[in-house]
Structure formats: structure tokens, C-alpha cells
Amino acid sequence: HYLQHENERQLDGKARECKKAKNRISSKQHLYASYVEKSNPVSRIAFSSCIVPGQRRTRQLWKHVREEFKPDLWVWLGDNAYADGTDMEYKRDKYNDVRRDEYYREYGPIADPQIPVTGTWDDHDYGHNNAGKRYPCKDESQREFCNHFNIPRSDPRHPDHKPRSNRRNGIYTSHMFPIPDSFRKDEAGQEKGGGGVHVMTLDLRYFRDVIFSNKNRRCRNPKYGGGANTELLGKEQWRWLEEELLGRYSEVKIIASSIQVLPPYNFNWDVNNMCAYDGKDRIFMRNIYRVGEDEDANSQQHESRKERWSNVPKERARLLQLAQKSINKGMAKVVIFISGDIHMGEIQAKRMPASSRGGEPQTLYEVTASGLGKMRDSDQPNDNRVRIRTCDRAGDGRFVNECIFPFYKNGNKYNDCTTDAVDSSSSSSSDDVRNGERAWCKWRDSRWGFCLPESEELVPRKRQIVSGKSCGRNYHQACGIDHIYGGIDVRWKQERIDLYLFTPTKDKVKDGIFSRVRIPFQHELKEENHSNIFTKDTDTKASKKSKTKSSKKSKTKSSSKSSTKSSYDAEITPEPSPMYTYSTSDNDMHTDRPTEFSYHLLNSMAPSDSMILGESTFPSESSSSFESMALSSSFSPS
């Protein structure tokens, strides 16, 4: 990047000349969301970030977006073009290249019929790597952003908006989409007030202070906006966001952030490298404790210097508690963050503790989808990632690891946590494991841990679908894949929301991965009808026993005592099967045709009408429940 030490240069205030753009703007334009906001209900939202045009495999991704998921809205999450520098003509050319991309024009949002778009920017389309408020060409860059998204002059962010006094610095905005006509009345027949889906796109660049010190401790001085004064959004944007979250009612609120929100601070990296750090037991650390985290939290261990909200704990705590308060105040039934930046995908959930600022405990969710021609091929720990089943490390009481299924012990295969006693000669297991007193699993190779009771999982296993693993150890992390997009499907009739990661392409090494998490609006989901999709019987035995104790590092006894030794279990396998045989609740359906993307199977239970991708498309709201991408991971040993 042209600024190798951008933090020092920002602090010194060194300006660079902004070269104006003179070349033409491509005639192929987006349909910006504000043109259809008041008339078009939104139920399905697709999103991604970090695009490199001209990638052949992108064609399959955009085709999947348009023909399979069929979104009502596409949200760009930043790095919408790689155009670092102060040359606006170069930036305009890079934006034009994206809209001229043959696959984007054939199936992307810009193709006919157009898919409405909105979005935010990140560092590489805004200015340069990790750029913030000291970037000298931010107003000129804002003009090119508006040109790229075809934002109308009536929008206060447009540089030609009149009157001039109403113009907005920064590109943050919101869209309130109506509820579909058939679901606008409640059970009593009364018209619902407020909106359906409320999308807010944040600006993490225009007002952002320096985050990383680069051994320049001046950035921790409040004089330079550091220490406890370090900001990400700026005062004006915070006032706007509070009004959006606490003053406008909607069924669902979606907050688009170019960088990740829920991953905790990575204490594997020295806090003295953070500009926001103001000393032990002061504002930096107090705001980490405030959201229920501590020094043992873990995220992105191998790549410490990544931008994310947790680098400024005070700003992150304020955002999370504001979202929590929005739900508790009755202004939304659920709040979901969507983010990009990191060239991989993951689905996350975090339970916010009760507080005077946020109110009662609430669960917040995040889907990260990043990389259209970019990828990161490394395992990235994240304590707040959704897990199939959660365990600790050999009884340490920290339930942040994910069980890996199937695992094997004493010649038995297990697809769920088990209380089966292990060989008493095993020196690596505690007495509770050897005696079968507590449910346990393996989470990496020969490492074991006690399982968190299913009732305490933020997302029950029966509401998850996974298709395998990529380069990491977690099922809801897609890495080492260069075409990833996320999806949110609001199911108004069932009062639930499905969160998706899609990778509808495959490279020479790995199959595309897919995962889904199903969450309720605000109350518990109705029990779903599950049936065995395989025609071959399974031999499963289970027993239940309730023994629970609560405390952070006390022994936690599982609420379910189960042993699963199956003669035939669907599992995550290195090579996908070219043939599937499965049945529904109404009639048997068989196929000897390989699925289009050959998805792996995790285990042997699915909703009664589950189908393999290529044999079913996403149904209309009026149709029954579906799963067209993969088979369910809702295995039940009973």
C-alpha cells in the first residue's frame, strides 16, 4: 500500500493532493434501494464484500444469487472495489470495472430485472489500508461512492444535494422496508405499525480515529483522539444511530458494518499496541467486562492486527448495549449484524448480560460474508461463533470449543455428546469421563471436553444445518474459499429468520460449504417435524438424566445423558457421496444424480421436506418449510 506507515502519517496530518476524476462514469447503473424503499417489501437480503472483478467462478455465484436465493435486496459491505490512493480517476475506473464485469452484468444485481442495492464502504474503496478520518480525500471519495451506487441527488449524502446546509458528511444511512401485505395484520386483525425490515448501513471510515499504534504512543494521547476518546463512528453518527434503534419501530433490524462486531478482543496481541488502551482496569478493560468477556477471550489468534469493533471496547459496548436496549424497549424483535472485510465467512451469536444500559439479557447475531475473488486460508478462533455442540477444555469450565462429529473412542462412533465411560487406563481423561458421570466429546484430535447442556446453547443443534468444514475446525466458518455470500431470509408466517452462508462454487481442492442457523423473532420456535431422511435404519440407543449445576468453573453436568453408537450415520466425510437416497414424510424420493455442488452431510435427520440443491428452489412465503441447500444437522439420538 502506498502508505506503509499510515498511522504516523495521519497523526502528523500530512496531506496528499486529490486528483479529480475526468473520465466517464459507466452507463450501466445500480438500482439504489431508496428508489423502491417505500413500495417494495423485503424478506430476503443477500450480502458480501471484497470483490475482484473478472473471476470466472463469480458467474456461478451470481447465478446462484439470482436463480436460487432470489433476494429482494443486495447489501455491499465494503471494499466494493480495490482503489487505494488519492487518484479519483483511478477510483472511478475501478468502480466502473466492477459494473462492467461480464458476470456481474449477466447475473449480478445490475442485470435485468435489477436487484435493489445499498451498502457501505471499507478502507480499500474509501481511501487506503486502515484509513480513517485523516484521509485527505474523503469528500471526493464520497462523490465516487455516490456515483457507483447511483445515489440520487435528493439524498443528503450526495455532494450535489441542496440545500447545502442539509448535506451529510459520511455515507451512513438507513432504509425502512414495509412488511409484506399478507402479513401486515396481527392475530387480532389489527394493522401492524412500523416497518418490516430496517436496514442501517454504518460508516466506519469517515469519522474513525487511528486504532493501531505502530509503536507510536502518541495515538493513545486524548489530544490526538486516542485513549478513552478513540472513536469509530463520531458524535453525529452516534446520534443518528440511537434515533434509528430507539426511535423507529420495525420487526427486524439489520445493521451493516464493514468490520466485524461480535468477535471479542484478541488478548494474544499486546493491548499496548492499541490506541484505545488507557491502562489496566480503566475504560478499555471495563468495557470488555461490561459485555461479559475477559482476558481469556479468544478471536483470530493468528492474525492479531485485524480491524474489528473490539479494538475499541468502549464503542463496541455502546453499540451492543444499544442493540440490546432496542429489543428490550420493544423497537425490534431481533437485531442482526452483517459484516465483511476478513475474506471468509462465519455465523456468530452473543448473549448480552443484563445491565442498566442495555436492560434484560438478549441474544444478538452476526453473519460475516467476505470474499468475491479474495480468500483467507487459515483457521480463525472466535469464541462467539455458533457451534453445533459446545464443550470446554478438559474440564476448565470455559465453554468456547466446538465438538467435532463423528468422533471415536473404544471402537465406538459418536455423533453427539456421550456419557459412555472410557477406558479406565486413559490418563488423559478425568474421573467424571472415565466413570460416565458427565457428557463429553472430542473437539480436536485426541483432546476432549465436557459438553455444555443443550438447553444452554445459544442456537440449538436442531436449528442448524452444516455441510462440513473448510480450512478451520468449526462448522459455521467458511475459509479457504474465494466466493462467499451471506443471506437472511425473514419467514413472516413462521415468525423465524434463517441466517445463511453460501459458497456456490468449488475450487480444485475444497467443495463449497454451506451453513444455516434458524432463529426465532422473539419467542421460542414451534417444534419442527423431523423425520429420518435415509432409507437405511440406524441403531441408536439413548437415555436421559438431568444433573445440572451452574457456575463459571464448576462441574457442569449435562441435561442429557446420551450414548450414540450407530451402525449407519450420515457424517462429515472427506469425499462427498455421488448418490443420495432419502425420503420425505409423504413419499419416498430417490435420486442417483450427483448434486450440483456435492455437499457433504453431517448426520441423518432433516425437516420432512428437505431437498438437495438442484432439485428445489427457494419457495415463496406461502409454501412449507424447506431446506434446499443441504441436509439438516438436527440429529437426535433418541
Side-chain angles (χ1 to χ4, degrees):
H1 302 294
Y2 85 100
L3 287 180
Q4 184 176 1
H5 304 290
E6 56 92 12
N7 289 314
E8 286 82 359
R9 291 178 183 269
Q10 286 181 15
L11 288 170
D12 293 339
K14 291 184 178 180
R16 289 174 175 265
E17 180 183 356
C18 302
K19 182 179 178 181
K20 294 184 179 180
K22 298 180 181 179
N23 47 356
R24 296 182 61 182
I25 300 170
S26 172
S27 59
K28 193 64 176 176
Q29 291 291 318
H30 287 112
L31 173 62
Y32 191 65
S34 61
Y35 290 110
V36 298
E37 179 179 342
K38 295 181 180 179
S39 58
N40 283 28
V42 164
S43 298
R44 291 194 186 123
I45 303 97
F47 47 90
S48 192
S49 68
C50 307
I51 182 173
V52 178
Q55 304 292 313
R56 287 185 61 84
R57 284 172 296 192
T58 307
R59 182 180 187 274
Q60 188 61 58
L61 181 140
W62 290 121
K63 185 176 181 181
H64 185 278
V65 170
R66 182 169 290 274
E67 296 184 354
E68 297 291 343
F69 190 58
K70 302 178 182 178
D72 305 308
L73 178 71
W74 177 273
V75 183
W76 279 111
L77 296 170
D79 291 345
N80 310 310
Y82 281 81
D84 294 48
T86 57
D87 186 341
M88 295 302 112
E89 189 159 323
Y90 174 73
K91 192 179 297 290
R92 180 175 293 182
D93 281 341
K94 289 299 182 180
Y95 277 136
N96 284 343
D97 287 346
V98 172
R99 300 199 306 281
R100 288 170 179 161
D101 178 76
E102 60 177 310
Y103 309 117
Y104 195 66
R105 292 169 71 105
E106 183 180 8
Y107 289 109
I110 212 165
D112 292 326
Q114 288 184 297
I115 301 171
V117 301
T118 188
T120 186
W121 56 21
D122 202 21
D123 48 354
H124 294 291
D125 47 347
Y126 165 71
H128 55 78
N129 192 44
N130 296 344
K133 68 181 182 182
R134 298 295 180 95
Y135 173 61
C137 306
K138 55 187 180 180
D139 293 328
E140 291 83 353
S141 184
Q142 183 166 329
R143 175 180 290 276
E144 297 309 315
F145 178 91
C146 292
N147 290 337
H148 177 60
F149 281 98
N150 194 26
I151 295 174
R153 293 187 179 185
S154 58
D155 191 303
R157 298 171 299 163
H158 197 288
D160 296 331
H161 176 77
K162 294 182 180 180
R164 183 183 295 269
S165 59
N166 290 342
R167 291 181 190 172
R168 173 179 293 175
N169 293 325
I171 50 90
Y172 60 93
T173 193
S174 69
H175 307 278
M176 183 73 78
F177 297 97
I179 301 174
D181 291 340
S182 54
F183 302 103
R184 286 184 182 176
K185 293 184 179 181
D186 58 23
E187 295 180 355
Q190 299 296 318
E191 191 81 16
K192 293 181 181 179
V197 173
H198 185 189
V199 179
M200 291 151 277
T201 58
L202 305 182
D203 186 339
L204 272 296
R205 294 295 157 191
Y206 197 98
F207 306 97
R208 201 209 74 167
D209 288 314
V210 178
I211 292 179
F212 304 115
S213 69
N214 284 347
K215 298 181 181 180
N216 187 335
R217 298 301 173 86
R218 284 194 300 165
C219 81
R220 289 167 56 183
N221 189 326
K223 176 182 177 181
Y224 296 100
N229 292 336
T230 303
E231 291 186 327
L232 293 177
L233 298 187
K235 294 179 176 59
E236 293 179 14
Q237 191 171 182
W238 272 119
R239 283 195 293 268
W240 164 84
L241 183 59
E242 289 182 359
E243 175 59 29
E244 295 289 325
L245 287 172
L246 303 181
R248 303 182 70 187
Y249 173 79
S250 65
E251 299 282 301
V252 180
K253 292 192 186 299
I254 298 173
I255 302 176
S257 169
S258 59
I259 61 175
Q260 288 189 294
V261 178
L262 292 188
Y265 181 74
N266 179 18
F267 280 94
N268 292 292
W269 204 44
D270 187 358
V271 291
N272 289 299
N273 292 316
M274 307 309 300
C275 295
Y277 184 66
D278 60 345
K280 186 178 179 180
D281 297 327
R282 302 191 68 180
I283 291 176
F284 187 95
M285 294 303 305
R286 286 204 298 265
N287 279 281
I288 290 176
Y289 304 144
R290 183 169 290 148
V291 297
E293 295 164 356
D294 55 27
E295 293 89 340
D296 292 327
N298 190 12
S299 70
Q300 299 186 349
Q301 179 178 1
H302 305 298
E303 297 190 41
S304 304
R305 197 174 182 269
K306 297 301 296 182
E307 292 182 289
R308 49 187 178 268
W309 277 81
S310 58
N311 292 330
V312 189
K314 183 183 73 171
E315 296 278 276
R316 178 174 179 254
R318 182 177 181 180
L319 176 66
L320 296 182
Q321 290 180 329
L322 191 58
Q324 178 185 11
K325 185 176 181 179
S326 179
I327 299 174
N328 283 319
K329 192 179 176 182
M331 302 309 293
K333 293 181 177 179
V334 64
V335 175
I336 303 165
F337 297 100
I338 57 176
S339 57
D341 179 53
I342 60 172
H343 304 170
M344 70 175 193
E346 59 184 345
I347 303 179
Q348 306 162 76
K350 177 174 175 59
R351 185 74 168 173
M352 286 294 294
S355 66
S356 58
R357 297 181 182 182
E360 294 299 311
Q362 294 292 344
T363 302
L364 306 175
Y365 303 91
E366 180 173 1
V367 182
T368 299
S370 172
L372 300 179
K374 292 277 188 177
M375 74 173 182
R376 176 164 283 108
D377 195 357
S378 60
D379 181 32
Q380 302 290 330
N382 182 352
D383 286 358
N384 290 329
R385 190 176 294 136
V386 172
R387 295 175 284 270
I388 294 291
R389 286 298 304 271
T390 302
C391 67
D392 65 6
R393 298 187 182 189
D396 68 355
R398 289 190 60 82
F399 292 93
V400 295
N401 304 296
E402 184 164 36
C403 299
I404 302 300
F405 302 119
F407 66 89
Y408 298 85
K409 192 69 177 178
N410 296 343
N412 298 323
K413 182 172 75 172
Y414 298 93
N415 254 339
D416 203 352
C417 297
T418 181
T419 53
D420 275 8
V422 302
D423 187 350
S424 60
S425 64
S426 173
S427 60
S428 62
S429 303
S430 73
D431 290 340
D432 284 343
V433 172
R434 289 196 292 268
N435 299 331
E437 291 295 322
R438 298 174 63 187
W440 61 276
C441 71
K442 287 186 178 181
W443 61 275
R444 188 202 293 181
D445 300 326
S446 61
R447 301 185 186 183
W448 65 274
F450 291 126
C451 294
L452 184 73
E454 286 191 85
S455 60
E456 297 181 26
E457 297 279 7
L458 290 184
V459 181
R461 184 174 180 177
K462 66 183 179 181
R463 297 178 194 161
Q464 301 180 44
I465 280 182
V466 298
S467 57
K469 292 181 294 181
S470 53
C471 70
R473 296 191 299 270
N474 298 110
Y475 295 113
H476 291 289
Q477 178 196 14
C479 57
I481 302 169
D482 63 359
H483 290 87
I484 300 172
Y485 82 93
I488 297 175
D489 188 6
V490 182
R491 312 291 289 172
W492 300 103
K493 183 177 181 180
Q494 293 87 352
E495 293 190 317
R496 71 172 190 243
I497 302 170
D498 292 343
L499 309 179
Y500 289 96
L501 278 180
F502 295 113
T503 59
T505 60
K506 59 180 181 180
D507 56 25
K508 296 178 180 179
V509 180
K510 303 178 181 70
D511 281 350
I513 190 173
F514 156 80
S515 68
R516 184 219 70 191
V517 166
R518 176 165 291 167
I519 61 176
F521 267 25
Q522 200 170 31
H523 53 77
E524 286 300 308
L525 285 169
K526 297 178 181 178
E527 287 300 316
E528 301 169 27
N529 178 31
H530 293 82
S531 65
N532 196 328
I533 58 174
F534 283 89
T535 57
K536 187 169 182 177
D537 294 330
T538 61
D539 177 20
T540 304
K541 64 179 182 179
S543 61
K544 294 186 178 179
K545 180 173 163 183
S546 176
K547 289 184 180 179
T548 18
K549 289 183 181 178
S550 61
S551 108
K552 181 178 179 182
K553 292 193 176 182
S554 69
K555 294 181 179 181
T556 304
K557 298 189 176 183
S558 173
S559 59
S560 64
K561 182 178 181 180
S562 61
S563 170
T564 305
K565 292 175 285 187
S566 175
S567 60
Y568 182 90
D569 290 313
E571 61 185 71
I572 302 174
T573 55
E575 295 296 332
S577 169
M579 184 180 299
Y580 297 97
T581 301
Y582 58 100
S583 63
T584 67
S585 59
D586 297 326
N587 63 308
D588 290 339
M589 302 180 66
H590 306 277
T591 179
D592 57 2
R593 179 182 60 80
T595 60
E596 185 174 356
F597 304 121
S598 300
Y599 284 101
H600 294 304
L601 311 180
L602 175 64
N603 46 40
S604 59
M605 297 296 290
S608 58
D609 50 350
S610 291
M611 301 192 76
I612 299 294
L613 178 64
E615 298 176 355
S616 174
T617 57
F618 287 79
S620 64
E621 180 63 47
S622 60
S623 61
S624 60
S625 64
F626 72 94
E627 298 303 338
S628 64
M629 298 299 120
L631 301 184
S632 172
S633 66
S634 54
F635 178 80
S636 173
S638 59

